[in-house]
Amino acid sequence: MAKTSHDLVVEAKSKIKEVSVVDAREMIQSGAVVLDVREPGEFENGHVPGAINVPRGLLEFKLAATPELNQPDTPIVVYCKTSGRSALAVATLADMGVTNTVNMGGGYDAWAEAGYPTDKPPAIDYN
């Protein structure tokens, strides 16, 4: 029987480390790289300050070209909207040899709900 997307996320989460937004924030404040794997439009609507945006669908292809993701001693906090795509991303990164990664449980929604700071690029004024 074929696996569903839910099955894949559950399987990924069984193989990776997931941390709370409280722990993720502490890691970020201590110098962890922040990777947002949502789509660019989602990122533009608000993101964790300092986050690098590499959409989940491009991660495998952009990994080598993103120096921040290739520092073995620097932890990486990965998130998406609610933590499904980021769980898959963390599992993929591990398969590609990037092992100092964690998934932020609850994703951006939990981060924003906790009242933590978010960045939103200013609207472009074409006048």
Side-chain angles (χ1 to χ4, degrees), residues 68-108:
E68 299 89 342
L69 303 179
N70 290 289
Q71 300 174 20
D73 297 329
T74 303
I76 302 170
V77 174
V78 186
Y79 74 93
C80 62
K81 179 174 172 40
T82 60
S83 77
R85 285 176 284 177
S86 53
L88 296 170
V90 170
T92 297
L93 287 168
D95 287 345
M96 296 181 76
V98 181
T99 57
N100 200 3
T101 58
V102 298
N103 186 35
M104 184 169 76
Y108 181 77

Side-chain angles (χ1 to χ4, degrees), residues 10-123:
V10 169
E11 184 178 311
K13 285 189 174 195
S14 74
K15 298 176 184 177
I16 64 169
K17 181 176 181 183
E18 186 166 271
V19 299
S20 69
V21 292
V22 172
D23 291 340
R25 185 175 189 211
E26 288 176 9
M27 291 177 68
I28 294 164
Q29 290 173 333
S30 296
V33 170
V34 187
L35 174 61
D36 184 324
V37 295
R38 297 175 301 157
E39 294 299 310
E42 293 174 287
F43 184 80
E44 290 169 11
N45 285 327
H47 55 270
V48 173
I52 300 164
N53 182 223
V54 179
R56 168 69 193 96
L58 298 176
L59 186 59
E60 294 87 343
F61 304 103
K62 293 205 172 206
L63 179 62
T66 309
E68 299 89 342
L69 303 179
N70 290 289
Q71 300 174 20
D73 297 329
T74 303
I76 302 170
V77 174
V78 186
Y79 74 93
C80 62
K81 179 174 172 40
T82 60
S83 77
R85 285 176 284 177
S86 53
L88 296 170
V90 170
T92 297
L93 287 168
D95 287 345
M96 296 181 76
V98 181
T99 57
N100 200 3
T101 58
V102 298
N103 186 35
M104 184 169 76
Y108 181 77
D109 287 357
W111 178 274
E113 188 176 300
Y116 293 153
T118 61
D119 278 351
K120 184 176 180 180

